[in-house]
Amino acid sequence: MRRRLVSLPLSIVNAWANLPLVYLFSFLFSSPYTGFAIMVLILVLTSLLGTILVFVFLIIPGIDLPTAAHVCRYIFFLQPNYAFSQSLSERSRSPVQCQTSRSSGIENTFASNELSLTRPGIGVPVLYLFFEGIVYFLLVFLVQYRFFIPIQDDRALAESTPIDEDADVAAEREAVMSPDFDDTSSIVVAKNLTKQYRKAAQPAVDHLTFSIPRGECFGLLGLNGARKTTTFKILTGDLTMFAGTSYIEGLNIRSDLHRVQRLVGYCPQFDSLIERLTGREYLTCIARLRGYVPSSISVVVQKIIDRLDLNEYADRTCGTYSGGNERKLSTAVALVGDPSVVFLDEPTPGMDPKARRFLWDCLVDVLKEGRSIVLTSHSMKECEALCTRLGILVNGRFKCLASIQHLKNRFGGGFSLTVIVGEAMTDNVQAPNTATSTVAIIIRLHSKKVSWCEVD
């Protein structure tokens, strides 16, 4: 019984040292699956190799080998798993004295030297584990609060304006960077938002400057790789910006990140749902994290379920959801807590037309409540239905930024070409004008079966 009681504190101290160490290594991996596999391999191999190496030094006769084993033992103690395994090994070797009182019938079992700093004893590995936990937690704190990341001066960056910038984009930049601009007048304000990865020739996000007033749906349109998701991760605090700054409700992301994240709802591009929880249970967890009073959580969750029309699936596990219902649940998670701004990263892929239209109506209701939405999409139709303004991203830079109607008037001119594929064009078919003749020739180079071309 005594030994079982000793094993519990050892496991607690081991977790105290291991958790911050693994959290530190998590910053090195972009994929959780890759990080998990590599970390398990590293922790197991270092612990096993350390044990084998020390054992070999002890059994091979030779000069100074026991001293080398003793030194290696203290070096390997820096790995929490090795220290934990050695503490279990030392505890099994420690002499145990047992005294039994027949009069009381109570067994008094104790180990006189289990916490000894000399062998046999678990004092040294336990001390290592305790102080390693303190050091690793301190490092986690410094990394989490960007202590090691230099902050670039925004004033110096503001002077470097991108060349060949569109007139509308330049006008937005001039308005936002103006000394008279009030950072609290808009829900989202981004000033020279820049993200530069190491060994990259060009910035991933390049000097994005814009503002989003209250009640506006702002759309980010672009091809895959246009850095829409990267921009979202910066604005939500998931990625650290290389330079520039951003404000949510007047709060600076750099200095007030935790307060900013309370005002933000985020639907990621890929669903991060817990498959074994039901939709209702998952929303309940999110509501608890949002700080709702326990007595009101069920009402809040049911309201979100009704709003997104998830009643039929609310009590099913998330692992059984279709792709469209997973996107609806992820959107519901983003709306929990009535955030001031909702970031939706492609919320409608996998939805049927009816569900997509229903979600659009829900988002319109959110805008009517005075909140703002930032939306990424590949669908121009979706942007037309929801967005007040639209910005088109190419390689992390705005190519145009204005209302949809303004963009249509400015860039929507030209010809509409209709091609009907049928029998081969006969020689007696005459094009009505020079323009259609040119088009007919170009198309005929690609296909021999063209019957007619119309230019409106």
Side-chain angles (χ1 to χ4, degrees):
M1 183 67 180
R2 168 77 176 180
R3 289 179 175 272
R4 292 178 182 175
L5 292 177
V6 172
S7 298
L8 180 60
L10 284 178
S11 300
I12 294 175
V13 177
N14 179 48
W16 160 261
N18 260 307
L19 288 177
L21 176 64
V22 175
Y23 191 86
L24 280 174
F25 276 96
S26 69
F27 291 101
L28 301 178
F29 304 100
S30 57
S31 172
Y33 304 105
T34 303
F36 176 79
I38 294 178
M39 283 306 302
V40 169
L41 187 64
I42 291 176
L43 294 177
V44 171
L45 286 182
T46 52
S47 176
L48 185 61
L49 291 177
T51 303
I52 294 174
L53 185 61
V54 172
F55 178 74
V56 169
F57 280 167
L58 289 175
I59 64 174
I60 295 179
I63 302 175
D64 293 335
L65 283 179
T67 303
H70 188 69
V71 172
C72 289
R73 184 169 176 266
Y74 282 97
I75 294 176
F76 286 122
F77 274 156
L78 296 176
Q79 210 274 63
N81 280 349
Y82 178 81
F84 177 65
S85 64
Q86 290 301 304
S87 64
L88 294 178
S89 175
E90 294 297 323
R91 186 175 63 83
S92 65
R93 296 174 54 189
S94 61
V96 179
Q97 301 175 357
C98 300
Q99 296 178 350
T100 304
S101 175
R102 295 182 179 179
S103 59
S104 61
I106 300 175
E107 184 181 13
N108 181 19
T109 305
F110 62 93
S112 60
N113 64 341
E114 280 192 346
L115 290 176
S116 172
L117 296 178
T118 59
R119 301 186 69 183
I122 64 173
V124 173
V126 167
L127 282 178
Y128 264 84
L129 289 172
F130 178 75
F131 286 109
E132 284 170 7
I134 296 176
V135 173
Y136 294 148
F137 265 113
L138 180 61
L139 290 176
V140 167
F141 180 83
L142 295 177
V143 172
Q144 188 70 35
Y145 285 91
R146 278 74 170 173
F147 181 80
F148 301 107
I149 300 175
I151 298 177
Q152 186 167 336
D153 188 4
D154 297 329
R155 292 173 298 178
L157 184 67
E159 299 175 358
S160 57
T161 303
I163 59 175
D164 299 330
E165 196 169 50
D166 182 76
D168 294 325
V169 178
E172 179 76 4
R173 178 185 302 278
E174 183 179 355
V176 174
M177 300 301 295
S178 171
D180 299 331
F181 184 81
D182 185 6
D183 294 331
T184 62
S185 61
S186 300
I187 288 186
V188 179
V189 177
K191 295 183 177 181
N192 283 318
L193 209 62
T194 304
K195 179 65 178 178
Q196 176 79 46
Y197 290 104
R198 292 182 179 179
K199 300 180 181 180
Q202 297 179 349
V205 178
D206 192 3
H207 292 77
L208 294 186
T209 302
F210 59 94
S211 65
I212 303 174
R214 189 177 301 277
E216 178 180 88
C217 181
F218 184 81
L220 286 178
L221 198 63
L223 301 174
N224 292 329
R227 308 301 184 182
K228 304 184 298 296
T229 300
T230 304
T231 303
F232 267 25
K233 289 183 177 181
I234 294 174
L235 292 174
T236 56
D238 193 20
L239 286 179
T240 304
M241 64 187 76
F242 175 77
T245 188
S246 180
Y247 299 90
I248 306 291
E249 288 277 24
L251 299 175
N252 194 322
I253 286 183
R254 288 187 182 274
S255 57
D256 298 303
L257 180 59
H258 291 283
R259 295 174 62 189
V260 164
Q261 289 176 336
R262 296 175 185 175
L263 305 172
V264 170
Y266 181 37
C267 172
Q269 183 178 10
F270 302 104
D271 301 303
S272 55
L273 306 177
I274 302 176
E275 295 183 352
R276 296 192 177 185
L277 291 181
T278 65
R280 190 183 303 275
E281 291 170 343
Y282 189 70
L283 289 172
T284 300
C285 292
I286 299 300
R288 290 181 181 274
L289 293 175
R290 282 289 190 177
Y292 277 100
V293 179
S295 59
S296 65
I297 288 180
S298 59
V299 178
V300 172
V301 170
Q302 187 59 47
K303 181 181 177 181
I304 294 292
I305 291 174
D306 293 338
R307 169 172 258 181
L308 272 298
D309 194 23
L310 288 170
N311 285 285
E312 183 180 351
Y313 310 96
D315 296 313
R316 300 183 187 179
T317 57
C318 297
T320 63
Y321 282 18
S322 64
N325 286 326
E326 286 181 351
R327 297 308 294 163
K328 288 171 69 175
L329 182 58
S330 296
T331 305
V333 169
L335 296 178
V336 173
D338 294 332
S340 299
V341 57
V342 183
F343 293 92
L344 303 177
D345 197 351
E346 299 183 19
T348 58
M351 290 187 182
D352 58 85
K354 180 180 178 181
R356 186 182 299 113
R357 176 62 63 178
F358 178 82
L359 181 61
W360 292 353
D361 295 337
C362 293
L363 296 180
V364 170
D365 293 337
V366 171
L367 294 174
K368 292 179 180 179
E369 295 172 0
R371 292 182 276 167
S372 296
I373 295 176
V374 186
L375 175 75
T376 68
S377 178
H378 291 290
S379 172
M380 189 64 186
K381 184 178 180 180
E382 185 171 61
C383 292
E384 289 180 351
L386 295 173
C387 298
T388 312
R389 286 193 305 158
L390 188 66
I392 298 180
L393 277 176
V394 177
N395 296 327
R397 289 183 58 184
F398 276 132
K399 291 300 181 180
C400 55
L401 173 62
S403 65
I404 294 178
Q405 189 58 48
H406 176 80
L407 295 179
K408 283 184 175 181
N409 294 335
R410 185 177 174 190
F411 301 104
F415 297 100
S416 177
L417 177 66
T418 303
V419 179
I420 302 175
V421 179
E423 297 179 356
M425 181 182 294
T426 59
D427 295 334
N428 58 357
V429 175
Q430 298 296 328
N433 52 48
T434 305
T436 52
S437 299
T438 305
V439 173
I441 293 172
I442 294 175
I443 295 177
R444 194 164 185 174
L445 291 175
H446 292 82
S447 174
K448 295 183 179 179
K449 295 184 178 181
V450 179
S451 60
W452 188 249
C453 298
E454 295 180 359
V455 178
D456 297 330

